[in-house]
Amino acid sequence: MDYSAKIASNVAAIPRSGIRDFFELVQGRDDVISLGVGEPDFVTPWHIREAAIYSLEKGQTTYTSNLGLLSLRKSISKYVENFFHVNYDPAREVLVTVGVSEAIDIALRALLNPGDEVIFHEPCYVSYSPSIVMAHGVAVPVVTTKEDEFSLKPEAVAAVITPRTRIIFINFPTNPTGACASRADLEGIAKLAIEHDLIVMTDEIYSELRYDDTEPHLSIASLPGMKERTILLHGFSKAFAMTGFRLGYACAPQPIIEAMMKIHQYAMLCAPIMSQNAAIEALENGHAAMIEMRNSYHQRRDFLVKRLNEIGLDCHTPGGAFYVFPDIRSTGLTSKEFAMRLLEEENVACVPGSAFGPSGEGFLRCCYATAFDDIRTATDRIERFVGRL
Ligand code: PLP
């Protein structure tokens, strides 16, 4: 059978994730140090795991409300109010999802008609452009540059707004660059959204992982006039080291949550109840463990940035997330060649910048959610590799 004729054209058109493809090469190799997959090296804190176990012990093995347990939505609402300074009604304005991944997908599907445009900044998380295309939208990337520390300038956004623009989609701190947004840039983007009557989707999954106390995290949802046009996406994977629990949430005005919930209820029904119980524990009692992990990432960031610059790979100091994004253009290799040869010759896995969009070419993503000793050894190996080029 000719299966190519059976696959939907918008799905056939999207590439597989460059991260996953690359990591299939890593499987089965011994002694590889991975600065690759963006996943905490910490096991989920014990008291959070215990909450999941306790949930099972109590026989809580059922579906929950489609929106998620009300007790969890109350905890989310309280947490978001304390941390982001925006107030959401837990009964109507919060939806618990299967990771931020699902929240991105259903938000786009809920809002886009075929041909509607979504502006986002690139290099960016691998799912953004494919998720827009799968929702029959048109992906409109705005390239951010090393010279601007990968910040998103309102002028660059303004330049690509058209009558078909529906959404501005932002992610700060950013995967893969670690970039953070300044208040002025967020205010400029908010002004554009209001002037052009656009929705803003903001993926703030790394918001707790900020390292420079001078500028605390600011959510665009908290700016004047923005709550009514913002979908705030957040989850538990990164700050609480809960990737395997597959839990995230969206906070937004009730009609948007209602539209997202309709897709969620037919496609997913609800998030797993034991993960939801663990998430309540994370929000209510997980702060100390989260700060401990963050402090450890902070030390690793400083070490890795220093070493990469010593090696001659120009690397800015990112304000958040757990990635650095060194410039490898001085080596004369493409990012894929660099990453492949580094893996083959020195057993260090990093992700080619091109996996995060064409504008990531010439860069490498190194994740420092990896044991300190491994980061030290990896940088020694990178130094040896670059020295040989
Ligand atoms: N958004 C960003 C920016 C990410 O980096 C990731 C995972 O790496 C996700 C969303 C997906 O997160 P989740 O595990 O909550 O689906």
Side-chain angles (χ1 to χ4, degrees):
M1 188 185 284
D2 176 11
Y3 288 104
S4 62
K6 305 286 179 207
I7 307 294
S9 52
N10 66 332
V11 175
I14 58 174
R16 282 163 49 117
S17 159
I19 303 185
R20 295 287 148 192
D21 265 0
F22 193 73
F23 279 89
E24 275 172 24
L25 298 173
V26 174
Q27 302 295 323
R29 291 179 74 105
D30 292 332
D31 191 31
V32 175
I33 297 179
S34 179
L35 307 182
V37 176
E39 175 153 29
D41 64 323
F42 295 103
V43 176
T44 309
W46 171 244
H47 65 104
I48 299 175
R49 280 183 277 156
E50 213 174 19
I53 295 166
Y54 192 44
S55 166
L56 286 170
E57 261 180 15
K58 284 191 294 187
Q60 293 177 336
T61 54
T62 57
Y63 294 134
T64 69
S65 148
N66 296 129
L67 288 170
L69 291 169
L70 182 59
S71 47
L72 173 56
R73 284 180 279 137
K74 283 182 177 164
S75 291
I76 290 170
S77 170
K78 192 171 76 177
Y79 184 84
V80 168
E81 176 149 27
N82 287 339
F83 187 62
F84 296 99
H85 312 296
V86 199
N87 180 271
Y88 289 99
D89 176 356
R92 296 151 27 98
E93 296 180 318
V94 179
L95 171 65
V96 176
T97 58
V98 178
V100 173
S101 303
E102 190 217 348
I104 292 169
D105 177 44
I106 63 176
L108 292 166
R109 285 204 273 158
L111 296 183
L112 295 179
N113 285 309
D116 286 346
E117 295 173 3
V118 181
I119 297 170
F120 59 101
H121 50 113
E122 200 207 84
C124 65
Y125 180 50
V126 289
S127 85
Y128 291 176
S129 180
S131 298
I132 294 164
V133 173
M134 286 191 289
H136 303 283
V138 177
V140 181
V142 172
V143 170
T144 59
T145 63
K146 177 183 138 193
E147 290 65 37
D148 281 333
E149 297 195 340
F150 299 101
S151 59
L152 179 62
K153 297 295 166 203
E155 310 82 76
V157 176
V160 294
I161 292 177
T162 75
R164 291 309 303 263
T165 306
R166 291 286 174 275
I167 300 173
I168 303 173
F169 187 2
I170 61 176
N171 165 228
F172 294 106
T174 306
N175 176 7
T177 62
C180 296
S182 68
R183 173 178 282 274
D185 286 345
L186 287 181
E187 283 174 349
I189 294 162
K191 189 162 170 276
L192 287 172
I194 292 168
E195 269 169 23
H196 294 271
D197 193 20
L198 305 175
I199 296 290
V200 171
M201 276 173 65
T202 177
D203 174 351
E204 305 196 18
I205 192 166
Y206 294 102
S207 50
E208 289 91 348
L209 304 179
R210 291 283 305 253
Y211 306 112
D212 301 309
D213 293 338
T214 43
E215 260 199 85
H217 180 75
L218 175 70
S219 174
I220 196 165
S222 67
L223 296 179
M226 286 307 291
K227 184 194 160 189
E228 68 184 44
R229 61 179 65 254
T230 301
I231 307 178
L232 171 61
L233 308 174
H234 199 7
F236 298 85
S237 289
K238 312 296 177 174
F240 294 105
M242 291 175 66
T243 50
F245 286 80
R246 308 307 306 125
L247 213 67
Y249 53 91
C251 299
Q254 189 271 341
I256 295 180
I257 289 295
E258 173 67 17
M260 290 172 65
M261 194 276 289
K262 282 199 274 181
I263 307 173
H264 172 78
Q265 90 185 153
Y266 294 127
M268 213 60 75
L269 217 158
C270 66
I273 188 170
M274 44 294 240
S275 295
Q276 295 192 49
N277 279 316
I280 295 172
E281 175 64 20
L283 293 176
E284 298 294 330
N285 300 308
H287 188 71
M290 188 267 285
I291 297 290
E292 217 173 287
M293 292 189 272
R294 184 178 70 189
N295 289 343
S296 168
Y297 296 140
H298 191 169
Q299 283 180 335
R300 303 177 203 188
R301 177 200 70 168
D302 291 348
F303 175 80
L304 185 54
V305 169
K306 182 167 154 287
R307 282 293 285 133
L308 289 169
N309 281 307
E310 278 168 10
I311 293 166
L313 300 178
D314 187 19
C315 185
H316 79 290
T317 303
F322 39 48
Y323 309 104
V324 294
F325 205 57
D327 184 343
I328 51 122
R329 286 174 290 187
S330 61
T331 64
L333 300 179
T334 66
S335 61
K336 208 163 182 179
E337 285 166 350
F338 188 106
M340 290 295 287
R341 283 188 54 185
L342 182 63
L343 179 63
E344 271 157 22
E345 296 175 29
E346 292 289 349
N347 267 341
V348 175
C350 298
V351 184
S354 56
F356 306 96
S359 57
E361 182 49 53
F363 295 84
L364 199 65
R365 190 191 76 173
C366 310
C367 173
Y368 52 85
T370 301
F372 202 95
D373 283 348
D374 283 347
I375 295 175
R376 193 191 306 276
T377 311
T379 50
D380 291 346
R381 293 182 186 182
I382 294 172
E383 184 164 42
R384 200 162 55 198
F385 172 70
V386 171
R388 273 200 309 275
L389 291 173

